[in-house]
Amino acid sequence: MKGLSTSTLFQQNYNANTHVVVNQGGTSSGKTYAILQVLFCMACAEEGMVITVVGQDIPNLKAGALRDALTIYKNSALLQRWVANYNRSDRVFEFVNGSIIEFNSYHDGQDAKSGKRDYLFINEANGVDHAIYTELALRTKRRVYIDYNPTAAFWVHDKLLGKPDVQLIISDHRHNPFCDDGMRKRIEALKEENIELWKVYARGLTGKVTGLVLGNWHICEEIPEHAKRLACGLDFGFTNDQTGCIEVFMQNGQLWVKELFYERGLTNPDIGRKLTENGVDKQMLIIADSAEPKSIEELRRMGWNMTGAMKGPGTVNLSIDILKRYRINITRCSVNLIAELGKYKWKTDKNGRTFNEPMDGFNHLIDPLRYIALNKLRVNTIRRSRSKLPWKEPNFGARDYDMALF
Ligand SMILES: Nc1ncnc2c1ncn2[C@@H]1O[C@H](COP(=O)(O)OP(=O)(O)OP(=O)(O)O)[C@@H](O)[C@H]1O
Ligand SMILES: [Mg+2]
C-alpha cells in the first residue's frame, strides 16, 4: 500500500497463498508489524472484511500487537482516511468501506466459537491454546496468520508445520531494516550469554529454553487488597535501554509485583511524573540502580524517597537466592516483566555448559526486583538461613547453597 514503509517480510506475507501462514522468528524481526500492515491492506482492499487479531490476553495485546497497530495507523495519513473510527473500548478499527479489525482474547475453545471472520492473526501463538486456535481457524474463510518466538516446540510444530496448506516463514532481526543498532547488538550479545536463547531470539530457530533463573513466579489478576507495600524498584535507561519501575508488596509471606512503567527516553523529571501518574507517593521507598548516583540525587531533590541498591561482588546471586525463597505473584498487566522472566537464564559457554551467573540484558524490570530483595528482604533471609545450616558455612556456589537449604 502506498504510504506504508514495508520490509521483505511484508511482501512474503502479502503474497502468501496458503490458508495458514506461520511466522516463526527471532525478536524484532518485524513479524507483528508486517502482518498488521498486510491486514490493514486487506481491510482497505475489499468491503466488509472482518479481521480478528488474537492474543493470550488483553494486556499482552495492548502492549504488543494493538500498540503496533495504533502506531502504524497514526503514521499513515492514507490509513487515517480509510479508518472511519477507532473504538477504544471494544478495540475495533472501523473502516469507511465497512471492514473491521478487532483485537480480542478468548478463555477457551467454547468462547472462541462465536463469530466468523475473513482473516485471523494469532499473535504470539505459544501463549494461546490449541483449542482456541482450532475454533477460530475453522471460522476463518481466507487466511490465518500466526507469529511467535520459538522458545520450544508447541502445537504449531506438532499439528501445523508440514501440512499442505501451511507456509512457514522464518525471520530474524536481519530481515528488519527498521531495527535499531542498539537492539541488534543486544540480540547478538545473547550468543556470549546463552547459546540456546541466541538461537531462538537472534535466529528464530526452535529451541528448548529450559532452566530459567527464576521459576517460582505465577500470574495473578490483582494485588490483594490488604497487601503491605514494600518499596518500588527502579532501573535507569535512556536511549537504548528502557527505564523500568515496579512496585512490590508482601502478603502471607508471598511477594506481589506490579509493573509500573517500562519506557525508553525518560529523563529524571519524566520519571517523577510517571511515579506520580502511577500513584506512588513521596514517602514510598524507591530503591534504584546505585550505578547512577546523580539520577538518584536529582530525584531525591525533587522530593522522592530514593536510595541506591546494595552493590558489590556476589550481590546478583545473593538477590536471586533471596527471591527464590518466595512465591512471586505478578499481575497479568505486567507484560514486560513477564517477558523478561521468560528469558532470564543462566549464562552458558558455547557448548551449552551453565555458569553460575545470570545473563545480563533484557532485565530492566528484573533488576529492580533484585534491588528490593537486596535492600528490603535480605536481613531476615540471611538470619533465617544461618540458623538452619547444620554445618559451618562452606564455599558453596550460590545455587548449591540454595539447593542445600530447600
Ligand atoms: N515496516 C516498518 N516500519 C517502521 N518500523 C518498523 C517496521 N517493521 C518493524 N518496525 C520496527 O521494528 C520493531 C520490531 O518489529 P516487530 O515488533 O514487528 O518485531 P517482532 O518480530 O514481532 O518481534 P517480537 O518477536 O519481539 O514480537 C517495531 O517495534 C518497529 O519499531
Ligand atoms: Mg511481535
Side-chain angles (χ1 to χ4, degrees):
M1 176 189 270
K2 251 175 70 190
L4 284 184
S5 51
T6 58
S7 66
T8 53
L9 215 47
F10 170 85
Q11 301 298 339
Q12 288 190 48
N13 278 288
Y14 187 82
N15 295 323
N17 53 15
T18 47
H19 188 245
V20 181
V21 183
V22 175
N23 278 254
Q24 166 169 319
T27 190
S28 292
S29 72
K31 302 179 289 299
T32 307
Y33 232 78
I35 295 169
L36 288 169
Q37 288 179 322
V38 169
L39 297 178
F40 272 119
C41 291
M42 300 310 184
C44 300
E46 248 178 280
E47 288 175 6
M49 288 289 108
V50 176
I51 299 171
T52 312
V53 180
V54 175
Q56 173 178 350
D57 51 33
I58 302 300
N60 268 291
L61 277 174
K62 280 189 180 161
L66 180 55
R67 180 184 291 174
D68 292 339
L70 286 165
T71 310
I72 293 169
Y73 165 65
K74 281 180 190 146
N75 289 340
S76 165
L78 188 65
L79 263 185
Q80 283 163 29
R81 284 201 292 278
W82 276 95
V83 174
N85 179 40
Y86 170 62
N87 182 328
R88 208 180 139 89
S89 52
D90 294 340
R91 299 174 303 274
V92 182
F93 286 90
E94 295 159 356
F95 289 71
V96 289
N97 62 358
S99 293
I100 62 159
I101 303 184
E102 54 178 11
F103 291 75
N104 217 340
S105 73
Y106 298 88
H107 297 301
D108 51 30
Q110 188 61 30
D111 189 22
K113 282 185 180 171
S114 57
K116 288 196 169 45
R117 63 203 56 81
D118 297 286
Y119 292 92
L120 170 69
F121 171 23
I122 311 261
N123 179 225
E124 296 183 13
N126 28 14
V128 175
D129 282 354
H130 181 243
I132 295 176
Y133 163 79
T134 309
E135 299 298 344
L136 293 173
L138 268 174
R139 293 166 180 78
T140 303
K141 281 180 235 155
R142 299 201 176 184
R143 185 157 301 129
V144 179
Y145 289 100
I146 292 176
D147 84 353
Y148 60 90
N149 304 124
T151 45
F154 68 113
W155 54 261
V156 166
H157 301 79
D158 301 339
K159 313 231 188 247
L160 295 182
L161 297 182
K163 297 268 161 68
D165 216 11
V166 178
Q167 180 183 346
L168 171 65
I169 302 170
I170 296 188
S171 59
D172 61 57
H173 68 95
R174 296 170 302 175
H175 301 98
N176 179 5
F178 308 96
C179 182
D180 65 71
D181 285 347
M183 182 52 115
R184 282 192 212 286
K185 278 206 193 100
R186 260 170 295 140
I187 297 170
E188 288 301 322
L190 286 172
K191 195 170 190 175
E192 307 305 318
E193 304 233 326
N194 188 303
I195 197 77
E196 198 63 30
L197 279 190
W198 176 82
K199 277 192 210 158
V200 173
Y201 290 105
R203 291 297 175 269
L205 303 174
T206 308
K208 225 167 126 191
V209 176
T210 52
L212 296 173
V213 175
L214 288 170
N216 51 328
W217 56 273
H218 307 265
I219 294 180
C220 65
E221 297 308 320
E222 279 177 56
I223 304 288
E225 201 181 337
H226 300 295
K228 180 175 167 249
R229 273 194 165 77
L230 284 185
C232 287
L234 179 67
D235 194 26
F236 297 104
F238 191 64
T239 318
N240 292 325
D241 294 323
Q242 286 85 352
T243 295
C245 185
I246 57 162
E247 193 172 19
V248 177
F249 301 72
M250 174 85 90
Q251 198 200 38
N252 296 338
Q254 302 182 16
L255 295 178
W256 302 79
V257 186
K258 184 170 139 193
E259 173 181 326
L260 297 185
F261 52 92
Y262 177 82
E263 233 178 281
R264 285 207 187 94
L266 295 183
T267 61
N268 291 332
D270 292 337
I271 293 174
R273 264 192 298 280
K274 286 266 161 197
L275 288 167
T276 309
E277 276 168 27
N278 281 284
V280 178
D281 68 41
K282 295 228 164 147
Q283 274 77 51
M284 175 70 144
L285 179 65
I286 302 173
I287 308 168
D289 181 4
S290 45
E292 287 216 22
K294 205 162 124 186
S295 296
I296 292 179
E297 184 54 33
E298 207 171 308
L299 283 159
R300 192 178 288 137
R301 289 184 193 187
M302 289 178 217
W304 297 99
N305 183 13
M306 305 294 299
T307 188
M310 180 185 140
K311 59 177 179 185
T315 47
V316 173
N317 282 23
L318 173 62
S319 58
I320 289 165
D321 281 355
I322 296 168
L323 289 171
K324 278 185 172 172
R325 293 179 188 153
Y326 292 91
R327 178 184 164 103
I328 307 174
N329 304 284
I330 300 177
T331 58
R332 189 178 293 284
C333 293
S334 307
V335 285
N336 297 299
L337 175 58
I338 293 167
E340 285 193 355
L341 284 164
K343 289 186 209 161
Y344 197 47
K345 295 202 53 170
W346 299 102
K347 281 189 186 175
T348 56
D349 65 13
K350 59 178 186 303
N351 302 315
R353 253 193 314 261
T354 308
F355 295 119
N356 192 10
E357 195 186 333
M359 31 176 291
D360 193 17
F362 304 108
N363 51 6
H364 309 303
L365 292 162
I366 294 176
D367 279 351
L369 186 59
R370 290 196 309 95
Y371 302 156
I372 292 175
L374 287 170
N375 284 35
K376 289 289 286 185
L377 303 170
R378 183 174 62 98
V379 182
N380 285 341
T381 316
I382 284 180
R383 208 184 291 134
R384 196 171 64 228
S385 312
R386 287 231 168 95
S387 65
K388 271 197 190 174
L389 275 177
W391 51 75
K392 235 177 103 225
E393 207 168 312
N395 285 334
F396 276 131
R399 277 186 304 147
D400 300 332
Y401 183 80
D402 205 33
M403 301 273 287
L405 281 171
F406 297 98

